[in-house]
Amino acid sequence: MQYVLMICTDENSEHALSPEEGSARLGEYVAFGEEMGKRGVLQGGARLRPTTDATTVRVRDGEVLTSDGPFAETKEQIGGYYLVDCKDLDEAIEVASKIPGARHGTIEVRPIWEM
């Protein structure tokens, strides 16, 4: 079954990392990707630009409305995601627990709804 693992962290604290800390964190993500790739569960993923680059789109009464920024004000923002193919939710949770962001943020595990 496929799952999206959404990495939710405080992007302000991410931007506050020193260059050395940022490089070390990136190395942790590279190691995670290599490990999950070898396991055969990693199907894809991407890092997202900050919420300052986001645009929210709504359609009301046939009119397209846009606003700058994310849909909701929150303490944590979705900074990236992984698409994984796991045998069950337990395996998806185990994989999510290995994402470096789980140590200082939240990983939301959501099954893909096949259409």
Side-chain angles (χ1 to χ4, degrees):
M1 176 164 221
Q2 288 191 319
Y3 295 86
V4 171
L5 310 179
M6 291 178 274
I7 305 162
C8 306
T9 59
D10 178 355
E11 65 185 23
N12 292 321
S13 67
E14 295 289 316
H15 296 305
L17 294 175
S18 71
E20 295 81 16
E21 292 168 322
S23 181
R25 176 112 4 118
L26 179 59
E28 293 174 349
Y29 277 96
V30 169
F32 169 82
E34 289 172 354
E35 178 186 348
M36 294 306 134
K38 287 178 187 173
R39 278 180 55 173
V41 298
L42 188 59
Q43 304 294 301
R47 184 176 180 187
L48 301 177
R49 299 282 308 160
T51 57
T52 54
D53 293 345
T55 301
T56 301
V57 178
R58 295 174 179 84
V59 177
R60 299 295 184 267
D61 298 320
E63 183 180 357
V64 177
L65 307 171
T66 63
S67 58
D68 292 338
F71 169 69
E73 296 280 331
T74 62
K75 292 182 181 181
E76 295 182 333
Q77 298 78 35
I78 300 171
Y81 68 92
Y82 288 106
L83 176 62
V84 296
D85 192 1
C86 297
K87 65 182 178 208
D88 56 25
L89 178 59
D90 290 335
E91 184 181 23
I93 291 169
E94 183 264 329
V95 169
S97 74
K98 295 183 180 298
I99 296 173
R103 293 192 307 274
H104 51 86
T106 304
I107 310 301
E108 182 176 334
V109 177
R110 193 175 301 182
I112 299 290
W113 195 342
E114 298 293 332
M115 304 286 258

